[in-house]
Amino acid sequence: MDKELFMELLSKIGPRIEKQRTFWREPLEPRLRLALTLWYQAMGDSYQSLQYGFRVATNIICGIVRDTWETIIDEYMKEVIVCPMTPEDGRWWPRDSPISGTSITVRTLDDRHIVMCAPRKTGSIYHNYKGFHSLIILALVDTDYKFIYTDVGANGASSDVGVFLNTPLRRVFNNYHVGLPPRDALPGGDHPIHYFIARDDAFPFKEYLQKPFPLRGLFTGRTALQLLTVPCQTSG
């Protein structure tokens, strides 16, 4: 993060995280509170290591990180992560971008596992198929790599489909509360095709959700070549 972006963020949330001065204490400056929170989020340091770098007690750091991060989310939520709700919303429409494989793919949906320490007495609930404990973040991303919808908090043992099925996003799509743009033809074509969200092979086909063509049960290139080179058997 460069200085200009830091100062922009500070100007927006600074007044909201500034604490009142009293006879008993001199509060920490908003600049320090923001810097400490960003460092914690970016580097993953423990509170114990941060207390030496910033000269702030661990019990105070805990409250600073929580309060500052909640303020950042509240300040930017409606501006940054806004899921389009109507077909006419310009945020649906694809633009030239490295992740826009076709002109009818409007968004991409995927999830990631966030490494975490296993909570006490949770067994294998948070233990994922990759072999570590995690929380899952499911994100809908536009053609500029910007998040427009996120679902955070599913346990690591959940499947991709299971996470999606429990999100409000799936429910509003199924109930047609969120509409994609009207059908349109591919470049050079004349047959209208539905706009859709791209997803990987784990998901089912839906009118609004498409995935790569499955290769299961198809001949591999080597097998097909072997079949073509086998001489035909003719009867005498």
Side-chain angles (χ1 to χ4, degrees):
M1 177 179 292
D2 55 32
K3 181 179 179 181
E4 289 72 19
L5 182 57
F6 179 86
M7 296 307 297
E8 176 187 340
L9 182 58
L10 181 63
S11 66
K12 287 192 173 185
I13 72 166
R16 300 179 59 179
I17 62 175
E18 185 175 8
K19 301 301 179 181
Q20 184 177 3
R21 288 178 170 81
T22 68
F23 177 79
W24 303 103
R25 67 171 186 179
E26 185 72 18
L28 298 176
E29 295 182 357
R31 183 193 302 263
L32 177 60
R33 302 173 74 90
L34 177 59
L36 193 154
T37 301
L38 295 177
W39 184 275
Y40 174 76
Q41 296 293 335
M43 305 304 294
D45 286 355
S46 65
Y47 293 160
Q48 286 75 18
S49 63
L50 287 174
Q51 72 173 337
Y52 298 108
F54 288 87
R55 298 182 180 275
V56 180
T58 56
N59 61 317
I60 298 178
I61 292 176
C62 179
I64 289 176
V65 170
R66 182 184 63 252
D67 294 344
T68 305
W69 197 243
E70 289 178 352
T71 304
I72 293 174
I73 293 174
D74 183 64
E75 179 70 29
Y76 282 92
M77 177 63 72
K78 294 182 180 180
E79 174 184 344
V80 177
I81 303 180
V82 182
C83 188
M85 297 302 291
T86 64
E88 294 76 20
D89 197 319
R91 285 174 297 227
W92 273 129
W93 295 91
R95 291 176 295 226
D96 294 335
S97 171
I99 67 172
S100 182
T102 71
S103 61
I104 57 174
T105 304
V106 292
R107 296 297 175 256
T108 301
L109 185 70
D110 204 354
D111 58 13
R112 284 293 180 267
H113 288 266
I114 309 300
V115 181
M116 61 175 291
C117 295
R120 297 180 60 185
K121 300 181 180 181
T122 56
S124 60
I125 294 178
Y126 292 92
H127 195 265
N128 61 43
Y129 68 95
K130 298 182 179 182
F132 56 86
H133 293 85
S134 65
L135 289 174
I136 298 177
I137 174 173
L138 181 74
L140 186 65
V141 183
D142 68 11
T143 52
D144 290 326
Y145 300 99
K146 295 179 180 179
F147 286 55
I148 59 174
Y149 175 86
T150 59
D151 180 86
V152 184
N155 60 72
S158 301
S159 65
D160 294 356
V161 177
V163 174
F164 176 69
L165 292 179
N166 290 319
T167 61
L169 182 66
R170 193 272 305 183
R171 292 193 290 272
V172 296
F173 266 119
N174 285 352
N175 296 330
Y176 298 100
H177 291 163
V178 172
L180 293 173
R183 295 193 302 171
D184 197 4
L186 290 170
D190 57 2
H191 183 71
I193 300 176
H194 287 288
Y195 281 81
F196 62 82
I197 295 172
R199 191 56 176 97
D200 61 25
D201 192 46
F203 276 59
F205 280 115
K206 295 286 185 180
E207 184 177 291
Y208 60 86
L209 197 65
Q210 298 294 316
K211 63 180 182 178
F213 189 84
L215 300 178
R216 293 186 297 273
L218 298 180
F219 289 120
T220 63
R222 182 176 179 181
T223 303
L225 181 61
Q226 290 173 344
L227 290 175
L228 291 174
T229 56
V230 173
C232 297
Q233 300 292 332
T234 59
S235 59

